[in-house]
PDB file of all heavy atoms in Angstrom:
ATOM      1  N   TYR A   1      12.082  17.778  -5.301  1.00  0.00           N
ATOM      2  CA  TYR A   1      11.062  16.718  -5.472  1.00  0.00           C
ATOM      3  C   TYR A   1      11.162  15.697  -4.345  1.00  0.00           C
ATOM      4  O   TYR A   1      12.228  15.414  -3.809  1.00  0.00           O
ATOM      5  CB  TYR A   1      11.231  16.007  -6.813  1.00  0.00           C
ATOM      6  CG  TYR A   1      10.927  16.943  -7.959  1.00  0.00           C
ATOM      7  CD1 TYR A   1      11.939  17.650  -8.601  1.00  0.00           C
ATOM      8  CD2 TYR A   1       9.618  17.151  -8.374  1.00  0.00           C
ATOM      9  CE1 TYR A   1      11.669  18.508  -9.623  1.00  0.00           C
ATOM     10  CE2 TYR A   1       9.335  18.009  -9.429  1.00  0.00           C
ATOM     11  CZ  TYR A   1      10.378  18.685 -10.042  1.00  0.00           C
ATOM     12  OH  TYR A   1      10.103  19.585 -11.057  1.00  0.00           O
ATOM     13  N   SER A   2      10.005  15.137  -3.983  1.00  0.00           N
ATOM     14  CA  SER A   2       9.931  14.050  -3.025  1.00  0.00           C
ATOM     15  C   SER A   2       8.996  12.981  -3.570  1.00  0.00           C
ATOM     16  O   SER A   2       8.118  13.256  -4.405  1.00  0.00           O
ATOM     17  CB  SER A   2       9.426  14.531  -1.658  1.00  0.00           C
ATOM     18  OG  SER A   2       8.105  14.966  -1.741  1.00  0.00           O
ATOM     19  N   VAL A   3       9.247  11.740  -3.150  1.00  0.00           N
ATOM     20  CA  VAL A   3       8.393  10.634  -3.580  1.00  0.00           C
ATOM     21  C   VAL A   3       7.915   9.897  -2.329  1.00  0.00           C
ATOM     22  O   VAL A   3       8.550   9.869  -1.284  1.00  0.00           O
ATOM     23  CB  VAL A   3       9.167   9.676  -4.460  1.00  0.00           C
ATOM     24  CG1 VAL A   3       9.510  10.311  -5.844  1.00  0.00           C
ATOM     25  CG2 VAL A   3      10.422   9.108  -3.824  1.00  0.00           C
ATOM     26  N   ASN A   4       6.719   9.318  -2.467  1.00  0.00           N
ATOM     27  CA  ASN A   4       6.065   8.576  -1.414  1.00  0.00           C
ATOM     28  C   ASN A   4       5.613   7.222  -1.970  1.00  0.00           C
ATOM     29  O   ASN A   4       5.196   7.118  -3.107  1.00  0.00           O
ATOM     30  CB  ASN A   4       4.850   9.338  -0.905  1.00  0.00           C
ATOM     31  CG  ASN A   4       5.168  10.741  -0.438  1.00  0.00           C
ATOM     32  OD1 ASN A   4       5.350  10.969   0.748  1.00  0.00           O
ATOM     33  ND2 ASN A   4       5.246  11.689  -1.345  1.00  0.00           N
ATOM     34  N   PHE A   5       5.649   6.215  -1.132  1.00  0.00           N
ATOM     35  CA  PHE A   5       5.204   4.848  -1.533  1.00  0.00           C
ATOM     36  C   PHE A   5       4.137   4.357  -0.524  1.00  0.00           C
ATOM     37  O   PHE A   5       4.351   3.354   0.155  1.00  0.00           O
ATOM     38  CB  PHE A   5       6.376   3.894  -1.582  1.00  0.00           C
ATOM     39  CG  PHE A   5       7.483   4.327  -2.503  1.00  0.00           C
ATOM     40  CD1 PHE A   5       8.721   4.707  -1.973  1.00  0.00           C
ATOM     41  CD2 PHE A   5       7.314   4.397  -3.864  1.00  0.00           C
ATOM     42  CE1 PHE A   5       9.750   5.091  -2.780  1.00  0.00           C
ATOM     43  CE2 PHE A   5       8.338   4.816  -4.719  1.00  0.00           C
ATOM     44  CZ  PHE A   5       9.561   5.163  -4.165  1.00  0.00           C
ATOM     45  N   PRO A   6       3.020   5.061  -0.394  1.00  0.00           N
ATOM     46  CA  PRO A   6       2.006   4.590   0.543  1.00  0.00           C
ATOM     47  C   PRO A   6       1.375   3.273   0.115  1.00  0.00           C
ATOM     48  O   PRO A   6       0.973   3.102  -1.035  1.00  0.00           O
ATOM     49  CB  PRO A   6       0.950   5.737   0.518  1.00  0.00           C
ATOM     50  CG  PRO A   6       1.123   6.317  -0.863  1.00  0.00           C
ATOM     51  CD  PRO A   6       2.573   6.226  -1.178  1.00  0.00           C
ATOM     52  N   ARG A   7       1.330   2.349   1.064  1.00  0.00           N
ATOM     53  CA  ARG A   7       0.667   1.071   0.790  1.00  0.00           C
ATOM     54  C   ARG A   7      -0.773   1.172   1.244  1.00  0.00           C
ATOM     55  O   ARG A   7      -1.138   1.924   2.151  1.00  0.00           O
ATOM     56  CB  ARG A   7       1.367  -0.052   1.533  1.00  0.00           C
ATOM     57  CG  ARG A   7       2.738  -0.354   1.031  1.00  0.00           C
ATOM     58  CD  ARG A   7       3.319  -1.594   1.658  1.00  0.00           C
ATOM     59  NE  ARG A   7       3.664  -1.454   3.060  1.00  0.00           N
ATOM     60  CZ  ARG A   7       4.177  -2.411   3.796  1.00  0.00           C
ATOM     61  NH1 ARG A   7       4.429  -3.605   3.281  1.00  0.00           N
ATOM     62  NH2 ARG A   7       4.475  -2.221   5.073  1.00  0.00           N
ATOM     63  N   MET A   8      -1.650   0.397   0.574  1.00  0.00           N
ATOM     64  CA  MET A   8      -3.053   0.417   0.956  1.00  0.00           C
ATOM     65  C   MET A   8      -3.208   0.042   2.399  1.00  0.00           C
ATOM     66  O   MET A   8      -2.599  -0.884   2.906  1.00  0.00           O
ATOM     67  CB  MET A   8      -3.852  -0.595   0.109  1.00  0.00           C
ATOM     68  CG  MET A   8      -3.906  -0.260  -1.377  1.00  0.00           C
ATOM     69  SD  MET A   8      -4.889   1.214  -1.731  1.00  0.00           S
ATOM     70  CE  MET A   8      -6.505   0.724  -1.099  1.00  0.00           C
ATOM     71  N   ARG A   9      -4.022   0.831   3.113  1.00  0.00           N
ATOM     72  CA  ARG A   9      -4.340   0.604   4.495  1.00  0.00           C
ATOM     73  C   ARG A   9      -5.835   0.448   4.674  1.00  0.00           C
ATOM     74  O   ARG A   9      -6.611   0.978   3.878  1.00  0.00           O
ATOM     75  CB  ARG A   9      -3.878   1.772   5.361  1.00  0.00           C
ATOM     76  CG  ARG A   9      -2.355   1.944   5.412  1.00  0.00           C
ATOM     77  CD  ARG A   9      -1.696   0.918   6.300  1.00  0.00           C
ATOM     78  NE  ARG A   9      -2.268   0.915   7.651  1.00  0.00           N
ATOM     79  CZ  ARG A   9      -2.311  -0.114   8.460  1.00  0.00           C
ATOM     80  NH1 ARG A   9      -1.784  -1.279   8.065  1.00  0.00           N
ATOM     81  NH2 ARG A   9      -2.843  -0.046   9.651  1.00  0.00           N
ATOM     82  N   PRO A  10      -6.302  -0.261   5.704  1.00  0.00           N
ATOM     83  CA  PRO A  10      -7.735  -0.332   5.989  1.00  0.00           C
ATOM     84  C   PRO A  10      -8.313   1.086   6.138  1.00  0.00           C
ATOM     85  O   PRO A  10      -7.717   1.966   6.726  1.00  0.00           O
ATOM     86  CB  PRO A  10      -7.831  -1.100   7.261  1.00  0.00           C
ATOM     87  CG  PRO A  10      -6.578  -1.893   7.337  1.00  0.00           C
ATOM     88  CD  PRO A  10      -5.537  -1.050   6.700  1.00  0.00           C
ATOM     89  N   ALA A  11      -9.471   1.324   5.536  1.00  0.00           N
ATOM     90  CA  ALA A  11     -10.146   2.635   5.623  1.00  0.00           C
ATOM     91  C   ALA A  11     -11.603   2.430   6.009  1.00  0.00           C
ATOM     92  O   ALA A  11     -12.135   1.291   5.935  1.00  0.00           O
ATOM     93  CB  ALA A  11     -10.016   3.393   4.313  1.00  0.00           C
ATOM     94  N   GLN A  12     -12.262   3.517   6.358  1.00  0.00           N
ATOM     95  CA  GLN A  12     -13.684   3.435   6.720  1.00  0.00           C
ATOM     96  C   GLN A  12     -14.530   3.432   5.424  1.00  0.00           C
ATOM     97  O   GLN A  12     -15.370   4.282   5.240  1.00  0.00           O
ATOM     98  CB  GLN A  12     -14.012   4.623   7.597  1.00  0.00           C
ATOM     99  CG  GLN A  12     -13.219   4.657   8.905  1.00  0.00           C
ATOM    100  CD  GLN A  12     -13.493   3.481   9.787  1.00  0.00           C
ATOM    101  OE1 GLN A  12     -14.600   2.929   9.784  1.00  0.00           O
ATOM    102  NE2 GLN A  12     -12.516   3.095  10.593  1.00  0.00           N
ATOM    103  N   ASN A  13     -14.266   2.521   4.564  1.00  0.00           N
ATOM    104  CA  ASN A  13     -15.006   2.369   3.311  1.00  0.00           C
ATOM    105  C   ASN A  13     -15.130   0.855   3.032  1.00  0.00           C
ATOM    106  O   ASN A  13     -14.340   0.279   2.295  1.00  0.00           O
ATOM    107  CB  ASN A  13     -14.309   3.091   2.181  1.00  0.00           C
ATOM    108  CG  ASN A  13     -15.283   3.437   1.082  1.00  0.00           C
ATOM    109  OD1 ASN A  13     -16.452   3.656   1.311  1.00  0.00           O
ATOM    110  ND2 ASN A  13     -14.804   3.535  -0.161  1.00  0.00           N
ATOM    111  N   GLU A  14     -16.064   0.233   3.693  1.00  0.00           N
ATOM    112  CA  GLU A  14     -16.171  -1.205   3.656  1.00  0.00           C
ATOM    113  C   GLU A  14     -16.421  -1.726   2.238  1.00  0.00           C
ATOM    114  O   GLU A  14     -17.125  -1.111   1.454  1.00  0.00           O
ATOM    115  CB  GLU A  14     -17.282  -1.659   4.598  1.00  0.00           C
ATOM    116  CG  GLU A  14     -16.998  -1.350   6.053  1.00  0.00           C
ATOM    117  CD  GLU A  14     -18.107  -1.829   6.955  1.00  0.00           C
ATOM    118  OE1 GLU A  14     -19.058  -2.510   6.471  1.00  0.00           O
ATOM    119  OE2 GLU A  14     -18.044  -1.563   8.164  1.00  0.00           O
ATOM    120  N   GLY A  15     -15.878  -2.900   1.962  1.00  0.00           N
ATOM    121  CA  GLY A  15     -16.147  -3.546   0.680  1.00  0.00           C
ATOM    122  C   GLY A  15     -15.023  -3.500  -0.296  1.00  0.00           C
ATOM    123  O   GLY A  15     -14.903  -4.317  -1.200  1.00  0.00           O
ATOM    124  N   PHE A  16     -14.088  -2.476  -0.163  1.00  0.00           N
ATOM    125  CA  PHE A  16     -13.021  -2.388  -1.119  1.00  0.00           C
ATOM    126  C   PHE A  16     -11.818  -3.231  -0.613  1.00  0.00           C
ATOM    127  O   PHE A  16     -11.421  -3.123   0.502  1.00  0.00           O
ATOM    128  CB  PHE A  16     -12.559  -0.958  -1.322  1.00  0.00           C
ATOM    129  CG  PHE A  16     -11.402  -0.824  -2.295  1.00  0.00           C
ATOM    130  CD1 PHE A  16     -11.660  -0.923  -3.660  1.00  0.00           C
ATOM    131  CD2 PHE A  16     -10.094  -0.724  -1.839  1.00  0.00           C
ATOM    132  CE1 PHE A  16     -10.613  -0.819  -4.565  1.00  0.00           C
ATOM    133  CE2 PHE A  16      -9.051  -0.652  -2.741  1.00  0.00           C
ATOM    134  CZ  PHE A  16      -9.304  -0.714  -4.094  1.00  0.00           C
ATOM    135  N   LYS A  17     -11.295  -4.009  -1.544  1.00  0.00           N
ATOM    136  CA  LYS A  17     -10.116  -4.835  -1.272  1.00  0.00           C
ATOM    137  C   LYS A  17      -8.997  -4.457  -2.239  1.00  0.00           C
ATOM    138  O   LYS A  17      -9.226  -4.313  -3.443  1.00  0.00           O
ATOM    139  CB  LYS A  17     -10.403  -6.325  -1.399  1.00  0.00           C
ATOM    140  CG  LYS A  17     -11.544  -6.826  -0.492  1.00  0.00           C
ATOM    141  CD  LYS A  17     -11.145  -6.739   0.963  1.00  0.00           C
ATOM    142  CE  LYS A  17     -12.232  -7.307   1.841  1.00  0.00           C
ATOM    143  NZ  LYS A  17     -11.902  -7.148   3.277  1.00  0.00           N
ATOM    144  N   PRO A  18      -7.785  -4.299  -1.738  1.00  0.00           N
ATOM    145  CA  PRO A  18      -6.657  -3.983  -2.643  1.00  0.00           C
ATOM    146  C   PRO A  18      -6.483  -5.079  -3.689  1.00  0.00           C
ATOM    147  O   PRO A  18      -6.778  -6.271  -3.442  1.00  0.00           O
ATOM    148  CB  PRO A  18      -5.453  -3.907  -1.686  1.00  0.00           C
ATOM    149  CG  PRO A  18      -6.005  -3.638  -0.355  1.00  0.00           C
ATOM    150  CD  PRO A  18      -7.345  -4.340  -0.319  1.00  0.00           C
ATOM    151  N   ASN A  19      -5.965  -4.716  -4.840  1.00  0.00           N
ATOM    152  CA  ASN A  19      -5.741  -5.682  -5.902  1.00  0.00           C
ATOM    153  C   ASN A  19      -4.503  -6.524  -5.599  1.00  0.00           C
ATOM    154  O   ASN A  19      -4.303  -7.595  -6.207  1.00  0.00           O
ATOM    155  CB  ASN A  19      -5.609  -4.986  -7.248  1.00  0.00           C
ATOM    156  CG  ASN A  19      -6.940  -4.571  -7.784  1.00  0.00           C
ATOM    157  OD1 ASN A  19      -7.867  -5.364  -7.914  1.00  0.00           O
ATOM    158  ND2 ASN A  19      -7.098  -3.283  -8.072  1.00  0.00           N
ATOM    159  N   CYS A  20      -3.621  -6.034  -4.750  1.00  0.00           N
ATOM    160  CA  CYS A  20      -2.494  -6.832  -4.290  1.00  0.00           C
ATOM    161  C   CYS A  20      -2.031  -6.266  -2.956  1.00  0.00           C
ATOM    162  O   CYS A  20      -2.349  -5.137  -2.617  1.00  0.00           O
ATOM    163  CB  CYS A  20      -1.346  -6.852  -5.315  1.00  0.00           C
ATOM    164  SG  CYS A  20      -0.465  -5.312  -5.454  1.00  0.00           S
ATOM    165  N   LEU A  21      -1.277  -7.079  -2.215  1.00  0.00           N
ATOM    166  CA  LEU A  21      -0.669  -6.635  -0.962  1.00  0.00           C
ATOM    167  C   LEU A  21       0.802  -6.544  -1.176  1.00  0.00           C
ATOM    168  O   LEU A  21       1.487  -7.540  -1.454  1.00  0.00           O
ATOM    169  CB  LEU A  21      -1.040  -7.611   0.154  1.00  0.00           C
ATOM    170  CG  LEU A  21      -2.514  -7.662   0.560  1.00  0.00           C
ATOM    171  CD1 LEU A  21      -2.715  -8.750   1.631  1.00  0.00           C
ATOM    172  CD2 LEU A  21      -2.980  -6.310   1.064  1.00  0.00           C
ATOM    173  N   VAL A  22       1.335  -5.349  -1.065  1.00  0.00           N
ATOM    174  CA  VAL A  22       2.785  -5.148  -1.227  1.00  0.00           C
ATOM    175  C   VAL A  22       3.480  -5.516   0.086  1.00  0.00           C
ATOM    176  O   VAL A  22       3.179  -4.950   1.139  1.00  0.00           O
ATOM    177  CB  VAL A  22       3.088  -3.680  -1.605  1.00  0.00           C
ATOM    178  CG1 VAL A  22       4.591  -3.435  -1.721  1.00  0.00           C
ATOM    179  CG2 VAL A  22       2.398  -3.342  -2.959  1.00  0.00           C
ATOM    180  N   THR A  23       4.387  -6.437  -0.014  1.00  0.00           N
ATOM    181  CA  THR A  23       5.045  -6.943   1.176  1.00  0.00           C
ATOM    182  C   THR A  23       6.092  -5.960   1.713  1.00  0.00           C
ATOM    183  O   THR A  23       6.479  -5.010   1.006  1.00  0.00           O
ATOM    184  CB  THR A  23       5.746  -8.270   0.905  1.00  0.00           C
ATOM    185  OG1 THR A  23       6.844  -8.069   0.003  1.00  0.00           O
ATOM    186  CG2 THR A  23       4.789  -9.283   0.288  1.00  0.00           C
ATOM    187  N   ASP A  24       6.573  -6.221   2.919  1.00  0.00           N
ATOM    188  CA  ASP A  24       7.615  -5.355   3.490  1.00  0.00           C
ATOM    189  C   ASP A  24       8.896  -5.407   2.641  1.00  0.00           C
ATOM    190  O   ASP A  24       9.527  -4.347   2.436  1.00  0.00           O
ATOM    191  CB  ASP A  24       7.934  -5.802   4.939  1.00  0.00           C
ATOM    192  CG  ASP A  24       6.758  -5.656   5.861  1.00  0.00           C
ATOM    193  OD1 ASP A  24       5.815  -4.916   5.512  1.00  0.00           O
ATOM    194  OD2 ASP A  24       6.803  -6.293   6.958  1.00  0.00           O
ATOM    195  N   ARG A  25       9.233  -6.562   2.157  1.00  0.00           N
ATOM    196  CA  ARG A  25      10.465  -6.684   1.333  1.00  0.00           C
ATOM    197  C   ARG A  25      10.277  -5.925   0.020  1.00  0.00           C
ATOM    198  O   ARG A  25      11.217  -5.317  -0.499  1.00  0.00           O
ATOM    199  CB  ARG A  25      10.771  -8.151   1.055  1.00  0.00           C
ATOM    200  CG  ARG A  25      11.391  -8.869   2.259  1.00  0.00           C
ATOM    201  CD  ARG A  25      11.657 -10.331   1.956  1.00  0.00           C
ATOM    202  NE  ARG A  25      12.656 -10.486   0.880  1.00  0.00           N
ATOM    203  CZ  ARG A  25      13.976 -10.472   1.112  1.00  0.00           C
ATOM    204  NH1 ARG A  25      14.433 -10.295   2.300  1.00  0.00           N
ATOM    205  NH2 ARG A  25      14.765 -10.657   0.084  1.00  0.00           N
ATOM    206  N   GLU A  26       9.093  -5.964  -0.538  1.00  0.00           N
ATOM    207  CA  GLU A  26       8.848  -5.252  -1.794  1.00  0.00           C
ATOM    208  C   GLU A  26       8.876  -3.745  -1.551  1.00  0.00           C
ATOM    209  O   GLU A  26       9.342  -2.985  -2.426  1.00  0.00           O
ATOM    210  CB  GLU A  26       7.485  -5.691  -2.390  1.00  0.00           C
ATOM    211  CG  GLU A  26       7.545  -7.105  -2.957  1.00  0.00           C
ATOM    212  CD  GLU A  26       6.180  -7.664  -3.301  1.00  0.00           C
ATOM    213  OE1 GLU A  26       5.151  -7.161  -2.758  1.00  0.00           O
ATOM    214  OE2 GLU A  26       6.113  -8.600  -4.102  1.00  0.00           O
ATOM    215  N   LEU A  27       8.333  -3.261  -0.436  1.00  0.00           N
ATOM    216  CA  LEU A  27       8.405  -1.858  -0.115  1.00  0.00           C
ATOM    217  C   LEU A  27       9.865  -1.447   0.019  1.00  0.00           C
ATOM    218  O   LEU A  27      10.260  -0.368  -0.468  1.00  0.00           O
ATOM    219  CB  LEU A  27       7.650  -1.573   1.186  1.00  0.00           C
ATOM    220  CG  LEU A  27       7.706  -0.109   1.669  1.00  0.00           C
ATOM    221  CD1 LEU A  27       7.049   0.822   0.680  1.00  0.00           C
ATOM    222  CD2 LEU A  27       7.045   0.017   3.051  1.00  0.00           C
ATOM    223  N   ALA A  28      10.657  -2.261   0.702  1.00  0.00           N
ATOM    224  CA  ALA A  28      12.121  -1.968   0.826  1.00  0.00           C
ATOM    225  C   ALA A  28      12.768  -1.932  -0.557  1.00  0.00           C
ATOM    226  O   ALA A  28      13.555  -1.049  -0.832  1.00  0.00           O
ATOM    227  CB  ALA A  28      12.757  -3.018   1.745  1.00  0.00           C
ATOM    228  N   GLN A  29      12.394  -2.867  -1.413  1.00  0.00           N
ATOM    229  CA  GLN A  29      13.017  -2.952  -2.749  1.00  0.00           C
ATOM    230  C   GLN A  29      12.743  -1.680  -3.547  1.00  0.00           C
ATOM    231  O   GLN A  29      13.666  -1.110  -4.126  1.00  0.00           O
ATOM    232  CB  GLN A  29      12.480  -4.169  -3.511  1.00  0.00           C
ATOM    233  CG  GLN A  29      13.065  -4.300  -4.895  1.00  0.00           C
ATOM    234  CD  GLN A  29      12.525  -5.487  -5.657  1.00  0.00           C
ATOM    235  OE1 GLN A  29      11.720  -6.265  -5.108  1.00  0.00           O
ATOM    236  NE2 GLN A  29      12.904  -5.652  -6.919  1.00  0.00           N
TER     237      GLN A  29
END
């Protein structure tokens, strides 16, 4: 098994905004 923690990135789909921004420290945590 493997796990991934992709954070929201800008995409070519205008208008959508993430519900939160996961910080670098939170990604590390």
Side-chain angles (χ1 to χ4, degrees):
Y1 294 95
S2 66
V3 293
N4 304 262
F5 305 112
R7 294 188 288 180
M8 294 293 299
R9 293 285 304 154
Q12 300 295 331
N13 204 29
E14 296 181 5
F16 180 78
K17 301 294 183 185
N19 283 306
C20 72
L21 293 176
V22 176
T23 67
D24 296 343
R25 285 178 64 84
E26 289 169 338
L27 177 63
Q29 180 181 356

